[in-house]
Amino acid sequence: MAAHEQTRDVPYRPDDMFALVAGVDRYPEFLPWCNGARIRRRDKQGENEVLVADLIVSYKVFREQFTSRVTLNPAERRIDVAYVQGPFKYLHNNWHFEALPGGGTRIHFFIDFEFRSATLEKMIGAVFSRAFAKMMQAFIDRAEALYEVDPAISPASASMATSSVASD
């Protein structure tokens, strides 16, 4: 129903950006409309770590909780999110953090979802679409507050956090 894809180049190291997005329990500190996060379980599967996590998203009078299975693949700098339960018919989400040749990271973000209820979709589908569209910027803003610019980046290209490609 509502797919969002975005690619951004940022002046931070790929491992830092991976760690930032992998820190699901810290999301309420900086993500718009994220009011709660809980890690139910952490398991190792080979080199990957798999989390089962709950997120609570609120906007005005709406408050929804959903559970996801989050697979962290640090070797590939990839995070895949599979929907487990909640108000959605489906939710697919993934992140990939690509090291740029001159330093910094190209972030690839994709999310696609549909609410189970047509009424809920009409009432808050647009709000969720806006929230998901703002997610990338919230992570970039958080990285700016937490991390140093990748030392491999030349000073001339240190302000790269503005390139963007988005589609809905």
Side-chain angles (χ1 to χ4, degrees):
M1 184 79 192
H4 179 77
E5 185 171 0
Q6 197 169 11
T7 300
R8 293 279 299 267
D9 291 352
V10 297
Y12 308 104
R13 293 174 348 124
D15 291 339
D16 289 341
M17 294 308 299
F18 177 88
L20 180 62
V21 176
V24 175
D25 53 335
R26 307 297 299 263
Y27 286 6
E29 296 174 17
F30 65 94
L31 271 183
W33 303 305
C34 183
N35 290 20
R38 176 179 66 157
I39 306 300
R40 287 188 185 191
R41 193 173 69 235
R42 287 183 187 269
D43 297 313
K44 283 295 264 183
Q45 291 186 351
E47 296 298 310
N48 296 341
E49 184 175 11
V50 178
L51 315 175
V52 175
D54 295 328
L55 287 182
I56 298 171
V57 180
S58 301
Y59 180 76
K60 295 187 180 181
V61 298
F62 302 107
R63 181 177 175 95
E64 291 294 335
Q65 176 177 318
F66 61 97
T67 303
S68 299
R69 181 178 180 194
V70 182
T71 302
L72 308 175
N73 182 335
E76 294 182 16
R77 294 187 194 106
R78 184 173 175 88
I79 298 173
D80 291 300
V81 180
Y83 176 65
V84 175
Q85 73 178 44
F88 298 101
K89 186 174 184 179
Y90 66 87
L91 179 136
H92 310 288
N93 172 224
N94 60 62
W95 296 82
H96 181 242
F97 307 92
E98 175 188 350
L100 294 171
T105 304
R106 177 161 292 148
I107 304 170
H108 302 273
F109 170 71
F110 173 80
I111 190 161
D112 185 20
F113 69 93
E114 182 176 344
F115 283 99
R116 189 181 320 271
S117 157
T119 303
L120 195 57
E121 180 73 34
K122 281 184 178 186
M123 289 175 27
I124 62 174
V127 171
F128 270 69
S129 290
R130 276 200 321 245
F132 289 134
K134 289 184 175 190
M135 281 178 66
M136 175 76 80
Q137 190 59 49
F139 280 103
I140 292 169
D141 292 346
R142 182 68 166 182
E144 184 176 336
L146 296 177
Y147 303 125
E148 303 268 329
V149 169
D150 186 342
I153 293 179
S154 68
S157 60
S159 63
M160 66 170 63
T162 56
S163 65
S164 174
V165 175
S167 65
D168 289 328

